Amino acid sequence: MPVVPGGIYQQTPTCWDKIKMGFTIGFCVGLSSGALFGGFSALKCGLRGTRLIHSVGKIMLQGGGTFGTFMAIGTGIRC
């Protein structure tokens, strides 16, 4: 199969693509930090079992959404 030259079919990402990527990266960072901090704080409060899982999941989603939103806004400003 012939090799296609690199510069012909490549497109630069649009501003919307950059904003989506910023949100995705921010969401992943927020999820991981929410898992760490939320897990430790829930264990410190004495939560166990299902209550621990629900609490940590809620904190992870809140952290991911918040940080993802701010990363998307920051990426949009840079466009």
Side-chain angles (χ1 to χ4, degrees):
M1 197 161 179
V3 177
V4 178
I8 294 176
Y9 295 106
Q10 290 181 347
Q11 293 179 346
T12 58
T14 63
C15 188
W16 179 246
D17 291 335
K18 291 179 184 179
I19 290 173
K20 288 190 296 186
M21 183 60 72
F23 180 81
T24 303
I25 292 172
F27 192 79
C28 291
V29 170
L31 280 179
S32 61
S33 66
L36 286 174
F37 297 129
F40 286 131
S41 67
L43 288 173
K44 184 177 159 184
C45 290
L47 298 178
R48 297 289 184 263
T50 307
R51 293 179 66 196
L52 174 71
I53 299 298
H54 287 294
S55 175
V56 172
K58 180 180 170 184
I59 292 170
M60 286 173 65
L61 287 176
Q62 287 176 346
T66 302
F67 199 72
T69 301
F70 285 119
M71 284 286 289
I73 291 170
T75 306
I77 290 171
R78 288 187 58 177
C79 275

